[in-house]
Amino acid sequence: MTYQPLSRDQLAARVARDIPEGSYVNLGIGLPTRIANFLDPEKEIFLHSENGLLGMGPAPAPGEEDPELINAGKEFVTLLTGGCYFHHGDSFTMMRGGHIDICVLGAFQIAANGDLANWHTGAADAIPAVGGAMDLAVGARKVFVTTDHVTKKGEPKIVERCSYPLTGVGCVDRIYTDLAVIDVTPQGLLVQEMVPGITREQLQAMTGAALQFSANCQ
Amino acid sequence: MTYQPLSRDQLAARVARDIPEGSYVNLGIGLPTRIANFLDPEKEIFLHSENGLLGMGPAPAPGEEDPELINAGKEFVTLLTGGCYFHHGDSFTMMRGGHIDICVLGAFQIAANGDLANWHTGAADAIPAVGGAMDLAVGARKVFVTTDHVTKKGEPKIVERCSYPLTGVGCVDRIYTDLAVIDVTPQGLLVQEMVPGITREQLQAMTGAALQFSANCQ
Amino acid sequence: MIDKTVATAADAVAQIYDGATVMIGGFGSAGQPAELIDALIAQGARELTIVNNNAGNGDTGLAALLKARRVKKIICSFPRQSDSYEFDALYRAGEIELELVPQGNLACRIQAAGSGLGAVFTPTGYGTLLAQGKETREINGKHYVLEYPISADFALIKAQQGDRWGNLVYRKTARNFGPIMAAAAKVTIAQVSEIVALGALDPEQVVTPGIFVQQLVAV
Amino acid sequence: MIDKTVATAADAVAQIYDGATVMIGGFGSAGQPAELIDALIAQGARELTIVNNNAGNGDTGLAALLKARRVKKIICSFPRQSDSYEFDALYRAGEIELELVPQGNLACRIQAAGSGLGAVFTPTGYGTLLAQGKETREINGKHYVLEYPISADFALIKAQQGDRWGNLVYRKTARNFGPIMAAAAKVTIAQVSEIVALGALDPEQVVTPGIFVQQLVAV
């Protein structure tokens, strides 16, 4: 059978659909940031950025960039009406104290038990940088991960056990890949959705840990 | 020989003389609060109140009391130009993080090693209340204590070892009584000043721990 | 559209259940959410654990809640005052449990809960009755006591102004425990003197961001 | 009269000594006290330990301080960026020591120093490389890592306005680490865009009370 993986925008849009109105959400650097573009403009969703703002709005119009109004990825942003600023202590109180409803992070690897690796390849010459990823991994009420289902070399990113250094232990709730939506459950990985045309066997073959399938996945 | 103990106002005025300009100062409930009346108005001294203000001013004029502008003793106060408000977390960061230069506390007992007891008589039917006293005792850079030299029954308040429950361990730097100014030093209690007319023997007789005397105390 | 405002104080406290832990803002009567407390008394929830700096003054507010015998336990720093007779009577009769906490440890433990810490080594109380039985440790030559977070099911606080997203600003020393309690409770209910339009509060001046507030009511 | 203002950035940093630990505010370049850093480079202090969220961007500010080889060690959460080449080169050459700290632990450890805590059990980093060798504890079914305060001899921060008592307000996301670093350093030096008259800052809106600031300079 043939199937078409989701584009990055389609993946972002798919995650956006699962974010309810009124949620406090932190979108990690990279693909997760793109999700903001697909949130329903009719819904009020509160975007948090760990450098100290809540109620983050879209990029400013050209010429209106303010170097003191940036997001965690150091991109220029705006503040929505009703948003506010605060210091790093208060910002991480939000993140670590269970006040952020959903965070969306990228991943190098996700293990079947919800372990996440996304900050360090472990290579000897790599310069590690962690930022707020470990705080979000342990502190958000729900941790969503977006990732390609396999690496550019075709290796599974969902694995039995992470070989890269961990970001957090058992922290992932749901994985959104370009091929499937997979919940991390106490009973293991449960596929909730697959792209049209893919078979269970094909998906399993590209996954390094055992998958279970919900009834609506043919 | 005959001597005159300091009045409460004289004692307050004596402590006030030792507070340098620019100091951040917390004055405890009771006699210490009275010290504010004797600070040199030419000096800028920053009074802190643990319920969340810095730059506390004197009592308001009659009719200008604001129930939301009170001090730690729940008395009406004012705010000086340049003062500010903050929450309890920030207020106790000031107190416990070593940012308050001087606090002045009352005392039931002070031990020769600087232990302070000022919150609880230990009586079985007493309802204890501690407030911020323990925080000031450990957190201020210098802890001054004001007290009558003896109790109403004539018992020493400066003792070898406190019999009342402690507020803080080895925390007192200087004791101001109605009879003397006494430093707590690693070598023991060192009398720096005595009221005119009192002898070293008289003062020692009213003190429950051994005193040493600096050269200027005849 | 998200609108956290509710019509009445009665609506705001309707969800508080028997046995809940409830933080109540205020230092003495400054910042005490009197109307929310009155509504809680009318609502009838019992066996509450209350976290407050004091244990009530006179016969209104928290003191009235005590008098109505709704409080099983109180966690506070300064229960005994000249006008704390409602608490005093219950305490002497053995009808209320008291956990006495130094004020800075109270603030710090509330903050620890709000910020997700597991426990903190605090300097206050070392060597005193209030640290008896607690773990201690010497760190860099200073002594500390291990203290655990104080969290709550509900926080009732008072602010000056709020908007429909729950952003709050306070007035003078009524601010006190409001901001830190708001972060430490599962559900924070704020009474405000005025509800203002979204955007009316300067984003630089919001003291409690709306993320920490679930409901607010103008009184 | 107390006046904490000094005339020039050079005066402000004159007291910084070789081997000092210096916190530098900012997240990337937002809130970075660029003029104070330039003055510090000109002043010449060496063997510094720097605490910052990053490890410099481009070739100005903190990156220039690194390039001038004044930094022995950096404590930060996110050193490697597209434009962190000055740090990258020193690090690969083994000429700078790196203590990598998750951003929330960095903030929390700075706050612990400012507020006098001995240590805190934090949730972040448990089970990861960054907790290796650290004490851990399970509390109420969750795992925590024991982390110690990060204090400093000096903090260099940037604010928008300040008065002669050292009260500060910030601008937008340039606030970031400024308020918490101010409380954690023995001597905090703020550069501000404007020094205003005492009383010009609304007492409800002061973000960093002057007690946490020892010197300020308009740049």
Side-chain angles (χ1 to χ4, degrees), chain A residues 44-94:
Chain A
E44 288 189 335
I45 289 169
F46 306 104
L47 297 183
H48 170 268
S49 187
E50 56 258 45
N51 56 318
L53 76 165
L54 189 62
M56 182 167 60
E64 308 208 338
E65 298 87 355
D66 183 337
E68 296 189 333
L69 183 41
I70 60 173
N71 67 11
K74 305 191 174 76
E75 301 163 319
F76 298 117
V77 294
T78 53
L79 189 76
L80 300 180
T81 296
C84 63
Y85 304 107
F86 35 83
H87 64 54
H88 251 76
D90 288 345
S91 188
F92 280 80
T93 285
M94 296 177 190

Short mmCIF file of all heavy atoms in Angstrom, two decimals, chain A residues 44-94:
data_model
loop_
_atom_site.label_atom_id
_atom_site.label_comp_id
_atom_site.label_asym_id
_atom_site.label_seq_id
_atom_site.Cartn_x
_atom_site.Cartn_y
_atom_site.Cartn_z
N GLU A 44 -9.53 31.13 22.45
CA GLU A 44 -8.51 31.82 23.23
C GLU A 44 -7.62 30.76 23.89
O GLU A 44 -8.06 30.02 24.78
CB GLU A 44 -9.14 32.75 24.26
CG GLU A 44 -9.75 33.98 23.58
CD GLU A 44 -10.21 35.04 24.55
OE1 GLU A 44 -10.51 34.73 25.73
OE2 GLU A 44 -10.29 36.21 24.14
N ILE A 45 -6.39 30.71 23.41
CA ILE A 45 -5.40 29.77 23.96
C ILE A 45 -4.22 30.62 24.40
O ILE A 45 -3.83 31.55 23.70
CB ILE A 45 -5.01 28.74 22.89
CG1 ILE A 45 -6.18 27.79 22.65
CG2 ILE A 45 -3.74 27.99 23.28
CD1 ILE A 45 -6.04 26.90 21.45
N PHE A 46 -3.67 30.30 25.58
CA PHE A 46 -2.64 31.15 26.17
C PHE A 46 -1.27 30.55 25.91
O PHE A 46 -0.93 29.51 26.49
CB PHE A 46 -2.86 31.28 27.67
CG PHE A 46 -4.25 31.74 28.04
CD1 PHE A 46 -5.19 30.85 28.54
CD2 PHE A 46 -4.62 33.06 27.85
CE1 PHE A 46 -6.46 31.28 28.88
CE2 PHE A 46 -5.90 33.50 28.19
CZ PHE A 46 -6.82 32.61 28.69
N LEU A 47 -0.50 31.20 25.07
CA LEU A 47 0.85 30.70 24.80
C LEU A 47 1.84 31.32 25.79
O LEU A 47 1.87 32.53 25.99
CB LEU A 47 1.25 31.02 23.36
CG LEU A 47 0.40 30.36 22.28
CD1 LEU A 47 0.96 30.69 20.89
CD2 LEU A 47 0.32 28.84 22.47
N HIS A 48 2.62 30.44 26.37
CA HIS A 48 3.64 30.83 27.36
C HIS A 48 5.01 30.70 26.73
O HIS A 48 5.27 29.75 25.99
CB HIS A 48 3.52 29.89 28.57
CG HIS A 48 4.64 30.02 29.56
ND1 HIS A 48 5.79 29.25 29.49
CD2 HIS A 48 4.79 30.81 30.64
CE1 HIS A 48 6.59 29.58 30.50
NE2 HIS A 48 6.01 30.52 31.21
N SER A 49 5.87 31.64 27.02
CA SER A 49 7.26 31.51 26.59
C SER A 49 8.14 31.67 27.82
O SER A 49 7.95 32.59 28.62
CB SER A 49 7.60 32.57 25.54
OG SER A 49 8.89 32.32 25.02
N GLU A 50 9.09 30.75 27.99
CA GLU A 50 9.78 30.67 29.29
C GLU A 50 10.63 31.88 29.61
O GLU A 50 11.01 32.07 30.76
CB GLU A 50 10.60 29.39 29.40
CG GLU A 50 11.62 29.18 28.32
CD GLU A 50 11.13 28.16 27.30
OE1 GLU A 50 9.95 28.26 26.90
OE2 GLU A 50 11.92 27.30 26.90
N ASN A 51 10.96 32.70 28.61
CA ASN A 51 11.73 33.89 28.92
C ASN A 51 10.89 35.00 29.54
O ASN A 51 11.42 36.06 29.84
CB ASN A 51 12.45 34.41 27.67
CG ASN A 51 11.52 34.68 26.51
OD1 ASN A 51 10.62 33.88 26.24
ND2 ASN A 51 11.71 35.78 25.83
N GLY A 52 9.59 34.73 29.77
CA GLY A 52 8.84 35.65 30.61
C GLY A 52 7.65 36.33 30.00
O GLY A 52 7.40 37.51 30.28
N LEU A 53 6.88 35.61 29.19
CA LEU A 53 5.62 36.20 28.76
C LEU A 53 4.54 35.14 28.61
O LEU A 53 4.81 33.97 28.35
CB LEU A 53 5.76 37.04 27.49
CG LEU A 53 5.90 36.36 26.14
CD1 LEU A 53 5.64 37.38 25.04
CD2 LEU A 53 7.30 35.80 26.00
N LEU A 54 3.34 35.60 28.81
CA LEU A 54 2.15 34.76 28.70
C LEU A 54 1.18 35.57 27.83
O LEU A 54 1.03 36.77 28.02
CB LEU A 54 1.56 34.55 30.09
CG LEU A 54 0.44 33.55 30.26
CD1 LEU A 54 0.87 32.15 29.89
CD2 LEU A 54 -0.04 33.57 31.71
N GLY A 55 0.53 34.87 26.89
CA GLY A 55 -0.32 35.59 25.94
C GLY A 55 0.50 36.05 24.75
O GLY A 55 0.35 37.15 24.25
N MET A 56 1.40 35.14 24.31
CA MET A 56 2.28 35.47 23.19
C MET A 56 1.46 35.51 21.91
O MET A 56 0.65 34.62 21.65
CB MET A 56 3.37 34.42 23.09
CG MET A 56 4.36 34.68 21.98
SD MET A 56 5.82 33.63 22.17
CE MET A 56 5.09 32.00 22.07
N GLY A 57 1.70 36.54 21.10
CA GLY A 57 1.03 36.67 19.82
C GLY A 57 1.97 36.33 18.68
O GLY A 57 3.11 35.91 18.90
N PRO A 58 1.50 36.52 17.44
CA PRO A 58 2.30 36.15 16.27
C PRO A 58 3.49 37.08 16.06
O PRO A 58 3.66 38.06 16.79
CB PRO A 58 1.30 36.28 15.12
CG PRO A 58 0.26 37.23 15.61
CD PRO A 58 0.18 37.05 17.09
N ALA A 59 4.28 36.78 15.07
CA ALA A 59 5.42 37.62 14.71
C ALA A 59 4.92 39.02 14.37
O ALA A 59 3.82 39.19 13.86
CB ALA A 59 6.17 37.02 13.53
N PRO A 60 5.72 40.03 14.67
CA PRO A 60 5.32 41.40 14.36
C PRO A 60 5.40 41.66 12.86
O PRO A 60 6.08 40.94 12.14
CB PRO A 60 6.35 42.24 15.11
CG PRO A 60 7.55 41.37 15.21
CD PRO A 60 7.04 39.97 15.31
N ALA A 61 4.71 42.70 12.44
CA ALA A 61 4.83 43.14 11.05
C ALA A 61 6.28 43.61 10.82
O ALA A 61 6.93 44.09 11.75
CB ALA A 61 3.85 44.29 10.79
N PRO A 62 6.77 43.46 9.60
CA PRO A 62 8.12 43.92 9.30
C PRO A 62 8.30 45.38 9.71
O PRO A 62 7.39 46.20 9.48
CB PRO A 62 8.24 43.75 7.78
CG PRO A 62 7.24 42.69 7.44
CD PRO A 62 6.10 42.87 8.41
N GLY A 63 9.41 45.66 10.34
CA GLY A 63 9.68 47.02 10.79
C GLY A 63 9.18 47.29 12.20
O GLY A 63 9.52 48.28 12.81
N GLU A 64 8.38 46.36 12.74
CA GLU A 64 7.86 46.58 14.09
C GLU A 64 8.50 45.63 15.10
O GLU A 64 8.00 45.46 16.21
CB GLU A 64 6.33 46.39 14.10
CG GLU A 64 5.68 47.25 13.04
CD GLU A 64 4.27 47.67 13.37
OE1 GLU A 64 3.61 47.00 14.20
OE2 GLU A 64 3.83 48.69 12.80
N GLU A 65 9.59 45.01 14.74
CA GLU A 65 10.27 44.10 15.67
C GLU A 65 10.82 44.88 16.85
O GLU A 65 11.32 45.99 16.70
CB GLU A 65 11.44 43.39 14.96
CG GLU A 65 11.04 42.52 13.80
CD GLU A 65 10.95 43.29 12.48
OE1 GLU A 65 11.10 44.54 12.49
OE2 GLU A 65 10.71 42.64 11.45
N ASP A 66 10.73 44.29 18.03
CA ASP A 66 11.26 44.90 19.25
C ASP A 66 12.26 43.92 19.85
O ASP A 66 11.88 42.81 20.24
CB ASP A 66 10.10 45.15 20.23
CG ASP A 66 10.56 45.84 21.50
OD1 ASP A 66 11.76 45.75 21.86
OD2 ASP A 66 9.72 46.48 22.15
N PRO A 67 13.52 44.29 19.93
CA PRO A 67 14.53 43.33 20.45
C PRO A 67 14.27 42.93 21.90
O PRO A 67 14.87 41.95 22.37
CB PRO A 67 15.85 44.09 20.31
CG PRO A 67 15.51 45.51 20.05
CD PRO A 67 14.12 45.56 19.49
N GLU A 68 13.40 43.64 22.60
CA GLU A 68 13.07 43.25 23.96
C GLU A 68 11.72 42.54 24.04
O GLU A 68 11.14 42.40 25.11
CB GLU A 68 13.13 44.45 24.90
CG GLU A 68 14.56 44.98 24.98
CD GLU A 68 14.79 46.03 26.04
OE1 GLU A 68 13.85 46.75 26.42
OE2 GLU A 68 15.94 46.14 26.49
N LEU A 69 11.22 42.10 22.90
CA LEU A 69 9.99 41.31 22.88
C LEU A 69 10.23 40.09 21.99
O LEU A 69 9.95 40.10 20.80
CB LEU A 69 8.80 42.15 22.40
CG LEU A 69 7.43 41.45 22.39
CD1 LEU A 69 7.22 40.59 23.62
CD2 LEU A 69 6.32 42.47 22.26
N ILE A 70 10.80 39.07 22.64
CA ILE A 70 11.21 37.86 21.91
C ILE A 70 10.65 36.64 22.63
O ILE A 70 10.18 36.72 23.77
CB ILE A 70 12.75 37.76 21.80
CG1 ILE A 70 13.40 37.70 23.20
CG2 ILE A 70 13.31 38.93 20.99
CD1 ILE A 70 14.90 37.42 23.17
N ASN A 71 10.71 35.50 21.93
CA ASN A 71 10.28 34.25 22.56
C ASN A 71 11.50 33.42 22.96
O ASN A 71 12.65 33.87 22.82
CB ASN A 71 9.33 33.49 21.63
CG ASN A 71 10.02 32.98 20.37
OD1 ASN A 71 11.25 33.01 20.27
ND2 ASN A 71 9.23 32.52 19.42
N ALA A 72 11.24 32.22 23.42
CA ALA A 72 12.33 31.38 23.92
C ALA A 72 13.30 30.99 22.81
O ALA A 72 14.45 30.66 23.08
CB ALA A 72 11.77 30.13 24.59
N GLY A 73 12.83 31.03 21.56
CA GLY A 73 13.71 30.76 20.43
C GLY A 73 14.43 32.01 19.95
O GLY A 73 15.10 32.00 18.93
N LYS A 74 14.26 33.10 20.70
CA LYS A 74 14.88 34.39 20.40
C LYS A 74 14.38 34.97 19.08
O LYS A 74 15.06 35.76 18.42
CB LYS A 74 16.41 34.31 20.47
CG LYS A 74 16.88 33.75 21.84
CD LYS A 74 18.34 33.89 22.08
CE LYS A 74 18.70 33.44 23.50
NZ LYS A 74 18.72 31.97 23.69
N GLU A 75 13.14 34.62 18.73
CA GLU A 75 12.47 35.22 17.58
C GLU A 75 11.62 36.38 18.05
O GLU A 75 11.09 36.35 19.17
CB GLU A 75 11.55 34.18 16.92
CG GLU A 75 12.26 32.94 16.44
CD GLU A 75 11.29 31.78 16.18
OE1 GLU A 75 10.36 31.58 16.98
OE2 GLU A 75 11.50 31.09 15.18
N PHE A 76 11.44 37.37 17.17
CA PHE A 76 10.56 38.49 17.51
C PHE A 76 9.12 38.01 17.58
O PHE A 76 8.67 37.25 16.73
CB PHE A 76 10.67 39.59 16.44
CG PHE A 76 12.04 40.18 16.35
CD1 PHE A 76 12.79 40.06 15.19
CD2 PHE A 76 12.59 40.84 17.43
CE1 PHE A 76 14.07 40.60 15.10
CE2 PHE A 76 13.88 41.38 17.36
CZ PHE A 76 14.61 41.26 16.20
N VAL A 77 8.40 38.44 18.61
CA VAL A 77 6.99 38.08 18.75
C VAL A 77 6.21 39.33 19.16
O VAL A 77 6.77 40.43 19.23
CB VAL A 77 6.78 36.96 19.80
CG1 VAL A 77 7.43 35.65 19.31
CG2 VAL A 77 7.32 37.36 21.16
N THR A 78 4.94 39.14 19.43
CA THR A 78 4.10 40.23 19.93
C THR A 78 3.39 39.73 21.19
O THR A 78 3.46 38.54 21.53
CB THR A 78 3.05 40.65 18.89
OG1 THR A 78 2.35 39.48 18.46
CG2 THR A 78 3.70 41.33 17.69
N LEU A 79 2.73 40.64 21.87
CA LEU A 79 1.95 40.27 23.05
C LEU A 79 0.49 40.54 22.75
O LEU A 79 0.13 41.61 22.25
CB LEU A 79 2.39 41.11 24.26
CG LEU A 79 1.80 40.67 25.60
CD1 LEU A 79 2.51 39.41 26.09
CD2 LEU A 79 1.90 41.77 26.64
N LEU A 80 -0.36 39.56 23.04
CA LEU A 80 -1.79 39.77 22.85
C LEU A 80 -2.33 40.72 23.91
O LEU A 80 -1.77 40.84 25.01
CB LEU A 80 -2.54 38.43 22.99
CG LEU A 80 -2.16 37.33 21.99
CD1 LEU A 80 -2.99 36.08 22.28
CD2 LEU A 80 -2.36 37.80 20.56
N THR A 81 -3.43 41.35 23.61
CA THR A 81 -4.17 42.11 24.62
C THR A 81 -4.54 41.15 25.75
O THR A 81 -5.13 40.09 25.49
CB THR A 81 -5.45 42.70 24.00
OG1 THR A 81 -5.06 43.64 23.01
CG2 THR A 81 -6.29 43.40 25.07
N GLY A 82 -4.17 41.49 26.97
CA GLY A 82 -4.43 40.60 28.10
C GLY A 82 -3.23 39.77 28.49
O GLY A 82 -3.25 39.08 29.51
N GLY A 83 -2.18 39.83 27.68
CA GLY A 83 -0.94 39.13 28.04
C GLY A 83 -0.16 39.90 29.08
O GLY A 83 -0.52 41.02 29.44
N CYS A 84 0.91 39.30 29.59
CA CYS A 84 1.72 40.01 30.59
C CYS A 84 3.14 39.47 30.62
O CYS A 84 3.45 38.43 30.05
CB CYS A 84 1.09 39.92 31.98
SG CYS A 84 0.96 38.26 32.64
N TYR A 85 4.00 40.23 31.29
CA TYR A 85 5.43 39.90 31.44
C TYR A 85 5.72 39.53 32.88
O TYR A 85 5.06 39.98 33.81
CB TYR A 85 6.29 41.11 31.05
CG TYR A 85 6.02 41.63 29.67
CD1 TYR A 85 5.33 42.83 29.47
CD2 TYR A 85 6.43 40.91 28.56
CE1 TYR A 85 5.08 43.31 28.20
CE2 TYR A 85 6.17 41.38 27.27
CZ TYR A 85 5.50 42.57 27.09
OH TYR A 85 5.24 43.04 25.83
N PHE A 86 6.76 38.73 33.07
CA PHE A 86 7.19 38.35 34.43
C PHE A 86 8.63 37.88 34.34
O PHE A 86 9.18 37.70 33.25
CB PHE A 86 6.29 37.26 35.01
CG PHE A 86 5.80 36.29 33.97
CD1 PHE A 86 6.60 35.23 33.58
CD2 PHE A 86 4.57 36.47 33.35
CE1 PHE A 86 6.17 34.35 32.60
CE2 PHE A 86 4.14 35.60 32.35
CZ PHE A 86 4.94 34.52 31.99
N HIS A 87 9.24 37.68 35.53
CA HIS A 87 10.66 37.29 35.54
C HIS A 87 10.81 35.77 35.45
O HIS A 87 9.84 35.02 35.50
CB HIS A 87 11.39 37.91 36.72
CG HIS A 87 10.96 37.46 38.09
ND1 HIS A 87 10.89 36.14 38.47
CD2 HIS A 87 10.59 38.17 39.18
CE1 HIS A 87 10.50 36.07 39.73
NE2 HIS A 87 10.30 37.29 40.18
N HIS A 88 12.06 35.36 35.31
CA HIS A 88 12.34 33.94 35.11
C HIS A 88 11.90 33.06 36.27
O HIS A 88 11.53 31.90 36.06
CB HIS A 88 13.84 33.75 34.87
CG HIS A 88 14.14 33.39 33.46
ND1 HIS A 88 14.12 34.30 32.44
CD2 HIS A 88 14.45 32.20 32.88
CE1 HIS A 88 14.41 33.68 31.30
NE2 HIS A 88 14.61 32.42 31.53
N GLY A 89 11.97 33.58 37.47
CA GLY A 89 11.51 32.78 38.61
C GLY A 89 10.03 32.46 38.48
O GLY A 89 9.61 31.30 38.61
N ASP A 90 9.25 33.47 38.21
CA ASP A 90 7.81 33.26 38.06
C ASP A 90 7.50 32.41 36.83
O ASP A 90 6.57 31.60 36.84
CB ASP A 90 7.08 34.61 37.96
CG ASP A 90 7.04 35.34 39.30
OD1 ASP A 90 7.30 34.70 40.34
OD2 ASP A 90 6.75 36.55 39.31
N SER A 91 8.28 32.59 35.78
CA SER A 91 8.04 31.83 34.56
C SER A 91 8.24 30.34 34.80
O SER A 91 7.44 29.51 34.36
CB SER A 91 8.99 32.31 33.46
OG SER A 91 8.64 31.72 32.23
N PHE A 92 9.28 30.00 35.54
CA PHE A 92 9.52 28.58 35.80
C PHE A 92 8.64 28.04 36.93
O PHE A 92 8.43 26.83 37.01
CB PHE A 92 11.02 28.31 36.00
CG PHE A 92 11.72 28.23 34.66
CD1 PHE A 92 12.07 29.39 33.98
CD2 PHE A 92 11.92 27.02 34.03
CE1 PHE A 92 12.65 29.34 32.71
CE2 PHE A 92 12.50 26.95 32.77
CZ PHE A 92 12.87 28.11 32.11
N THR A 93 8.12 28.90 37.76
CA THR A 93 7.03 28.47 38.66
C THR A 93 5.85 27.96 37.83
O THR A 93 5.28 26.91 38.12
CB THR A 93 6.60 29.63 39.58
OG1 THR A 93 7.60 29.80 40.59
CG2 THR A 93 5.25 29.36 40.24
N MET A 94 5.51 28.69 36.80
CA MET A 94 4.43 28.24 35.92
C MET A 94 4.75 26.87 35.31
O MET A 94 3.90 25.98 35.26
CB MET A 94 4.21 29.25 34.78
CG MET A 94 3.74 30.61 35.28
SD MET A 94 3.58 31.80 33.91
CE MET A 94 3.33 33.31 34.87
#
